[in-house]
Amino acid sequence: MADNTITSPLLTSDHLILTINSTSSDTDSSVPSDTRQISNPFNVGELTVPEAITVDPFHNYKAGINGFYEWVKTFLCIPLALVRLVIFGLCLAIGYVATKVALYRWKDKENPMPRWRCRIMWVTRISARFILFSFGYHWIKRKGKPARREVAPIIVSNHVSYIEPIFYFYELFPTIVASESHDSIPFVGTIIRAMQVIYVNRFSQSSRKQAVREIKRRASCDRFPRVLLFPEGTTTNGRNLISFQLGAFIPGYPIQPIIVRYPHVHFDQSWGNVSLGQLMFRMFTQFHNFFEVEYLPVISPLDDKETAVHFRKRASHAIASALNTVQTGHSYGDIMLHMKAQEAKHENPSSFMVEMAKVESLFHISSLEAVDLLDKFLAMNPDPSGRVQYRGFLRGLRLKACPLSEKIFSFIDVEKYGKITFRQFLYGSAHVMKHLGFNQTCEAAFAECGGSVKGYIVEDELRDYIQSAIPSWNEDEVHDFFALFDDDNDGRIYKDEFLACLRRNPLLTALFTPQPKHKESCGNGVVEIL
């Protein structure tokens, strides 16, 4: 018997041989097999992907003309629609002229609008009420009262249609926070400027920070109007709330939540996925459109130590409770994903929404990066259900079928279904990027490919390195893979190009991550790990 102690190694050999009972008929080369997965190809924790929810908070389900009653009503209301269109145009023109007069030679836009100019704006505000009347909102049901400006300098509201900004302009004449693109809207852009709008670029961190500073400055000065924000950042169908942005809650001032409802039977007035022209026509051809506004109790910060995140949570809970609905993790980023899928003419664009706010919170990945990943996923030719097969996955990442490629696919295919969804692809890519060693792996790979000496990599150097991971790659396949990195087609991959490509395609880092070498033999069922 061998003289072993408790400190002696259990295996004295420097390699391990596992015998697996299998036959060649047990595997299919088109779908990765679980028995082939030797280890995680990225040396990161296992991937967990939450189940997708079926709620679409943006879809308008009743925008079209459906049923005999609706067709007859629409036909009978066409003459009325023409009259309403004339009233709308006339009121818009009057409001525009009055606003131009109020803004005439006003240079000091950083300070509150003088009182005499505000009095002229009352003409525009009355015109706004008549515009609501032309849209069929003959009376508006109100519940509660707006708090005084000194009590709640900031108001927040759910956002369902373009009707709410018109109503709030008439009712409260607040300062609003809006996208820079609103300034270029004919006629309306001028009126928005009279509200001393705070412009923000949702994709610029510096712009968002500047907007928060401006919100705080105006909320602190009683001479400014109260500040109105739609924290959802876009319109929904009113059935659900989506995630709130933090801009209204960072300044730390008391907030009055307001909720709007559009009770209906035949015609859903939410903007959602409906064009502005179609929505206006449907409003013009209704006898009456219902609109309800409820002013909720003011919510104040608990103390100086309460975070903006907790403050936001209390406000969103109050609005969700009053609406008797739930809040999802969707954001404007999901609309961007939906639009990208629509551009690709996919049958079910809603299947590519992933509750982007949750993804951003978990992985700190931006909506623009998610759209780029969706563009990559759509190039893999997903089926009508939104799933991609193994061969399409290889084609999209310009990989070759091999054990390493199978491990990459298996890492994402958490359901072991043989197909992956965009949610799995996004979570898998983001999970790899989030790992602390991601940047180091990318920089080390560039150095090991020869970039540390010259500052760039040529095709032969990339081929020599990659063929150690996938020996069966031929010259044409390597050239195609090289072109993925070489953005300017100059035959050289510089460090910025290399790192940017791996950030766009984080799953490719598996090719540059040390893998356990193995030999496979399907005939005798032997797997040798060195």
Side-chain angles (χ1 to χ4, degrees):
M1 181 175 176
D3 185 16
N4 290 331
T5 68
I6 194 169
T7 59
S8 301
L10 295 178
L11 295 174
T12 58
S13 174
D14 60 353
H15 66 280
L16 172 67
I17 299 178
L18 303 178
T19 302
I20 303 173
N21 294 325
S22 63
T23 62
S24 59
S25 61
D26 291 331
T27 60
D28 180 0
S29 61
S30 64
V31 180
S33 170
D34 289 347
T35 61
R36 298 181 183 184
Q37 184 172 349
I38 307 301
S39 65
N40 186 308
F42 303 100
N43 293 333
V44 298
E46 291 301 316
L47 175 64
T48 301
V49 182
E51 292 185 6
I53 65 172
T54 57
V55 172
D56 183 349
F58 308 106
H59 190 72
N60 183 320
Y61 295 93
K62 294 184 178 180
I65 305 174
N66 299 310
F68 178 75
Y69 169 77
E70 279 297 296
W71 277 105
V72 171
K73 182 177 67 175
T74 300
F75 178 76
L76 293 176
C77 286
I78 287 179
L80 177 61
L82 296 176
V83 174
R84 287 175 168 176
L85 181 61
V86 172
I87 295 174
F88 167 77
L90 183 62
C91 292
L92 183 61
I94 293 173
Y96 174 76
V97 172
T99 303
K100 293 290 286 186
V101 172
L103 295 177
Y104 182 66
R105 290 188 176 180
W106 184 36
K107 304 297 184 182
D108 189 14
K109 303 292 179 65
E110 296 300 316
N111 290 313
M113 179 180 282
R115 287 186 178 275
W116 71 269
R117 295 183 186 273
C118 291
R119 292 191 181 100
I120 296 175
M121 286 302 298
W122 263 108
V123 177
T124 309
R125 295 172 67 178
I126 297 300
S127 298
R129 181 62 187 93
F130 277 98
I131 287 175
L132 291 175
F133 187 89
S134 70
F135 283 129
Y137 299 98
H138 306 128
W139 63 85
I140 297 173
K141 182 179 179 180
R142 296 172 175 82
K143 182 178 180 180
K145 293 182 179 180
R148 297 191 311 275
R149 194 258 179 236
E150 57 269 22
V151 174
I154 298 176
I155 53 178
V156 296
S157 171
N158 62 318
H159 198 7
V160 180
S161 187
Y162 62 85
I163 296 300
E164 302 103 62
I166 301 174
F167 169 77
Y168 290 132
F169 173 75
Y170 160 71
E171 180 97 337
L172 303 172
F173 190 50
T175 291
I176 64 171
V177 179
S179 171
E180 296 173 343
S181 61
H182 287 70
D183 188 68
S184 60
I185 302 176
F187 300 105
V188 176
T190 301
I191 298 174
I192 289 177
R193 285 194 293 274
M195 300 172 71
Q196 295 188 267
V197 62
I198 300 172
Y199 290 114
V200 62
N201 180 353
R202 70 174 84 231
F203 303 115
S204 169
Q205 185 175 4
S206 61
S207 176
R208 295 197 302 269
K209 288 183 178 179
Q210 176 59 32
V212 170
R213 286 194 293 267
E214 191 63 18
I215 292 170
K216 187 173 183 178
R217 183 179 78 90
R218 299 194 186 187
S220 65
C221 178
D222 289 339
R223 294 187 298 118
F224 273 108
R226 67 194 83 202
V227 182
L228 165 66
L229 296 101
F230 298 105
E232 293 172 290
T234 187
T235 56
T236 69
N237 57 19
R239 292 176 172 83
N240 297 98
L241 283 182
I242 62 174
S243 63
F244 280 14
Q245 303 298 312
L246 280 172
F249 310 96
I250 294 176
Y253 286 93
I255 287 174
Q256 182 174 33
I258 308 174
I259 60 173
V260 296
R261 302 182 184 90
Y262 293 84
H264 64 274
V265 176
H266 301 286
F267 167 50
D268 183 355
Q269 300 147 66
S270 64
W271 202 338
N273 57 325
V274 185
S275 67
L276 178 61
Q278 181 184 357
L279 195 60
M280 290 179 65
F281 175 77
R282 292 285 283 137
M283 287 182 177
F284 282 147
T285 54
Q286 299 293 308
F287 294 128
H288 175 75
N289 289 309
F290 292 91
F291 181 43
E292 298 178 356
V293 180
E294 182 177 354
Y295 295 93
L296 301 180
V298 174
I299 301 177
S300 300
L302 296 176
D303 50 46
D304 294 338
K305 296 182 180 180
E306 184 181 32
T307 65
V309 173
H310 188 262
F311 192 15
R312 174 182 63 179
K313 183 178 180 180
R314 291 197 295 124
S316 63
H317 178 73
I319 293 177
S321 298
L323 288 171
N324 192 27
T325 187
V326 296
Q327 187 174 32
T328 70
H330 293 88
S331 71
Y332 183 77
D334 290 284
I335 293 182
M336 297 171 62
L337 296 172
H338 188 280
M339 292 171 62
K340 171 62 72 171
Q342 272 189 323
E343 291 174 6
K345 302 187 184 306
H346 196 273
E347 296 180 22
N348 186 18
S350 297
S351 65
F352 297 99
M353 295 193 295
V354 293
E355 294 188 278
M356 197 60 216
K358 289 185 178 179
V359 175
E360 290 177 352
S361 176
L362 284 171
F363 302 111
H364 306 290
I365 182 173
S366 70
S367 297
L368 293 177
E369 289 176 310
V371 171
D372 288 341
L373 287 171
L374 176 58
D375 195 39
K376 178 75 63 178
F377 186 82
L378 292 172
M380 300 176 185
N381 192 28
D383 60 25
S385 67
R387 292 180 177 267
V388 162
Q389 296 183 352
Y390 179 53
R391 293 190 183 279
F393 176 79
L394 296 180
R395 184 169 57 252
L397 292 182
R398 304 188 190 184
L399 293 174
K400 184 181 179 68
C402 67
L404 179 57
S405 298
E406 291 180 3
K407 286 198 283 185
I408 298 173
F409 186 85
S410 181
F411 171 75
I412 301 174
D413 184 18
V414 293
E415 298 175 350
K416 306 308 174 189
Y417 188 67
K419 297 180 180 180
I420 60 172
T421 64
F422 172 65
R423 174 181 288 265
Q424 293 168 344
F425 180 71
L426 174 63
Y427 269 74
S429 300
H431 183 66
V432 172
M433 280 195 291
K434 182 185 177 183
H435 190 257
L436 293 176
F438 176 75
N439 292 328
Q440 292 88 331
T441 298
C442 295
E443 294 191 7
F446 180 78
E448 291 179 16
C449 287
S452 60
V453 179
K454 306 182 301 297
Y456 61 85
I457 302 169
V458 296
E459 186 169 336
D460 289 345
E461 293 171 327
L462 183 66
R463 181 195 61 218
D464 293 341
Y465 188 92
I466 290 299
Q467 284 186 338
S468 65
I470 307 180
S472 58
W473 265 11
N474 59 42
E475 294 289 337
D476 292 336
E477 290 167 337
V478 172
H479 179 76
D480 191 38
F481 188 73
F482 182 86
L484 185 66
F485 289 82
D486 187 15
D487 289 336
D488 52 10
N489 297 318
D490 63 349
R492 298 177 177 180
I493 304 174
Y494 290 92
K495 186 174 183 179
D496 289 344
E497 292 178 306
F498 189 83
L499 298 181
C501 181
L502 288 182
R503 183 160 183 85
R504 293 193 304 268
N505 305 274
L507 298 178
L508 294 182
T509 56
L511 301 177
F512 305 97
T513 302
Q515 304 289 326
K517 298 179 180 180
H518 61 277
K519 297 179 181 179
E520 295 188 64
S521 176
C522 295
N524 57 20
V526 174
V527 178
E528 182 176 5
I529 305 176
L530 301 179

